Amino acid sequence: MEPGPPKPVSLRNFLVRVLLFGVCVVVCRFAYVVTIRGEACDAGDFCFFPAPESLSILGGAIDSTKVFVRDVDGSAVVPDPALRDLWTSREWRKTVEYYSSVFQDLIAMGFLSPASKALCVETATGQDVLALREVGVSDAVGIYKKASKPLVVKGNSSRHPFDDDTFDFIFAGGGVVDSALKIEEFAAEIGRTLKPEGFAVLHTASTKDVYSLHSFLNMFNCCSLVRSFEIDGPDSSSPSIREMVLRKEKGYHILGRPEEIGSGGDSLNKCAVSAHKRQLLQDAEPLIREEPLKPWITLKRNLKNIKYLPSIADISFRRRYVYVDVGARSYGSSIGSWFRKQYPKQNRTFDIYAIEADKTFHEEYSKKKGVNLMPYAAWLRNETLYFEINRDPGQSHEENLGGRGMGRIKPAGAGSINSAAEVDKIQGFDFANWLKSTVTEKDFVVMKMDVEGTEFDLIPRLIETGALCLIDELFLECHYNRWQKCCPGERSPKYDKTYDQCLELFSSLRGSGVLVHQWW
């Protein structure tokens, strides 16, 4: 059977083929422009979409002589060859693309818009600035200690070179928050330069617990938390990070730069321990409920059970770090032998205050750097006191100097003084008010208290004045009529409190949300 005549090609099939041929021409032309010539395409290159204003890098083989960005005034700026080589590198572009995806999500959620005036803080290379411009936020700039124009100008996180209320959007990523040495100044400058109702977006890997998150947010008194969630890091090997979106309150007005603002504590009395501090008690070691027959051994062994606050929470986001040793005795009794050597400080430098009324120890502290000696007695009021020094006759003079023979204080005229004891007149000071004027709730405060029975006077005063809420961690030695080493079955007549009363004091402190440890 002979084949029939060929079927005519329909007009429809002909038009489809012509259209496909035209598309292939446009695609090939576009590929040539971008990958061979390294240029941004325009209408003359058969492109039907505008080129981005920021950087003419779209992938493939790049001609670095064609790389440019738009400066903040809109003019095209060609960077020097070293920057061009950097900007065209694969790793550099990978980071830019990461930030671009972050900013696109923020635009979708309404925290950023193309019309936003944006700032990136402590950006050495400006990759986040470039990412902002590539997603359409043309009015974006970064600050760093060394300028890298046209993306980055000179400045730092604690002093922005801009006026108050300048930016709609401020971003700090890439470990900037976690490495900030002066977190309070960092937060204050964001509050100063961010417009009311503007957004600050911060990336951090350190706020892994409620305590550190609250400490962090407490620094930003300008803003309220809008959103907090975990996002992926810049690459697969990076751990997830927390992205926090803060919004500046409409009525907030900065009072000045941090160094111009007074550092005194809150003058309000009373306090309620915050929930983030109460949560720490879930991990605290249990209290010793039964009175130990050999307390000097039991309490020493209990040291291995103590859960230090820095071992269960991140203490990074605090203005200062302070250790107050109330009843410090000699330098080696606790500051030198325990706090400086054993307390986990998370690489933070602490301001140390030694409060010790016994003149025997004062000369030693004059030779110790980094310790502020308060040569007075911690008390309820500013008044003259009797200091009753009880030396242990069974110890040598050198051992007594080591702090084994302790003293008690009594207000002048407050009853009889043991005639066998050494007595000195000293100055007492209002310890609660001193604490409130020395530290704030933004500081991390650790306190050891060994005041020979005066704790039953001082603790209620700290509660009454609200100063107790300024203490993050308390190591308290409670003095009671314990069993004596020398004479089994006999109690020390030195103190009139019982172990049950001490236990009640510890229990009430923990019940109030205070992380207190039984000390010795």
Side-chain angles (χ1 to χ4, degrees), residues 102-114 116 168-169 197-199 201 226-227 245 247:
V102 169
F103 295 139
Q104 286 169 353
D105 290 342
L106 293 170
I107 289 174
M109 290 183 284
F111 303 130
L112 177 64
S113 78
S116 297
D168 304 288
F169 178 86
E197 299 189 300
F199 293 100
V201 175
V226 177
R227 184 178 173 91
V245 180
R247 186 175 187 178

Side-chain angles (χ1 to χ4, degrees), residues 308 310 315 321-325 331-346 348-353 370-371 444-448 473 475 519:
Y308 296 104
I315 63 172
Y321 299 86
V322 180
Y323 174 60
V324 183
D325 195 329
Y331 173 81
S333 65
S334 59
I335 296 177
S337 63
W338 169 68
F339 182 75
R340 280 189 159 168
K341 291 183 179 181
Q342 300 181 37
Y343 187 80
K345 306 175 188 65
Q346 294 186 7
R348 302 292 167 172
T349 300
F350 279 71
D351 295 332
I352 299 177
Y353 292 88
V371 180
F444 180 76
V445 181
V446 182
M447 182 180 296
K448 188 224 79 180
E473 188 168 22
F475 297 86
W519 208 236

